[in-house]
Amino acid sequence: MRASIRPYAFSALGIAAAFVIWQVLAAANVAGNALPSATAVFAVLATIVGTGSFWSAVAATIGIALLALAVAAFAGVALGLLIGSFESVRYATLAVLEFLKPVPPIVILPLAVLVLGPTAEMALFLVVFGCLLPIVMQTVDGVQGTDPVAKDTARSYGMGEGEILARVVLPSAMPYIGTAMRVAAPAALVVTVVAGLLGGGPGLGQSIYQAQAAGDYASLYGLVIVLGVLGLLFQGATRLAERRVLHWHESYREVVS
């Protein structure tokens, strides 16, 4: 077997084994009606994907996650550059950032629902809150990790502070920002689903709650599978974008023999 296809072959075997185990456990009735068989779940899923409500929920979930991720990225990088570049700003915001760092979005979910209601705006706010801080902190680390010799060299060539920020500091911080975005992308999807599941926001989370409330476990499992596939697509798209944006970085250069 060629080395290039071996990981995919073993991944396919792992997935097949997981479905066989699932089918056996469902046939053994280990969890009663709470664990329908894999064949029943996929039969229901085939019906669900033919409905307009399913695709509306998928579009709402992806739209909220991507929009919030874009807002968090833009604001997070801008704040990170500002905080990382000026010592006075860093000290002024340090206590607030350290206070907010351990606060997960689900903690402020009741407050967000109280203020914004079970709406798309509420979900958008929660996702931005959940993704913003990691991007800010990673950008600050990237700015502070900029080689001082490179900055001094840029000054010796007559560059102003703004040009140094754009041509030296920001490229130096890009690997940190790329890592933050790769972590934030799946988190954006997860928080969007939580906002729908527990807060009543639009999207697949709300569909899962409705399936659970109706005791429709086959639909519930089917929607969870859809979310898993979406998560893989988010992760893959983020890795691809990171590789393209940071093609110049040493970690993505191909070794030429």
Side-chain angles (χ1 to χ4, degrees), residues 129-146:
F129 178 84
C131 297
L132 180 65
L133 208 55
I135 298 175
V136 171
M137 301 306 288
Q138 281 292 311
T139 306
V140 170
D141 288 343
V143 172
Q144 293 182 332
T146 303

Side-chain angles (χ1 to χ4, degrees), residues 44-52 54-55 226:
V44 171
L45 184 58
T47 304
I48 291 175
V49 297
T51 62
F54 167 77
W55 290 108
V226 171

Side-chain angles (χ1 to χ4, degrees), residues 22 33-37 40-42 44-45 48 54 193 197 204-228:
W22 178 4
N33 294 332
L35 183 63
S37 66
V41 169
F42 279 99
V44 171
L45 184 58
I48 291 175
F54 167 77
V193 173
L197 187 63
L204 287 171
Q206 187 183 67
S207 301
I208 290 175
Y209 172 78
Q210 291 170 346
Q212 190 269 336
D216 187 359
Y217 296 116
S219 296
L220 189 153
Y221 280 87
L223 292 170
V224 170
I225 290 173
V226 171
L227 281 173

Side-chain angles (χ1 to χ4, degrees), residues 10-26:
F10 280 112
S11 295
L13 283 175
I15 293 171
F19 282 124
V20 169
I21 293 171
W22 178 4
Q23 191 72 13
V24 170
L25 291 176

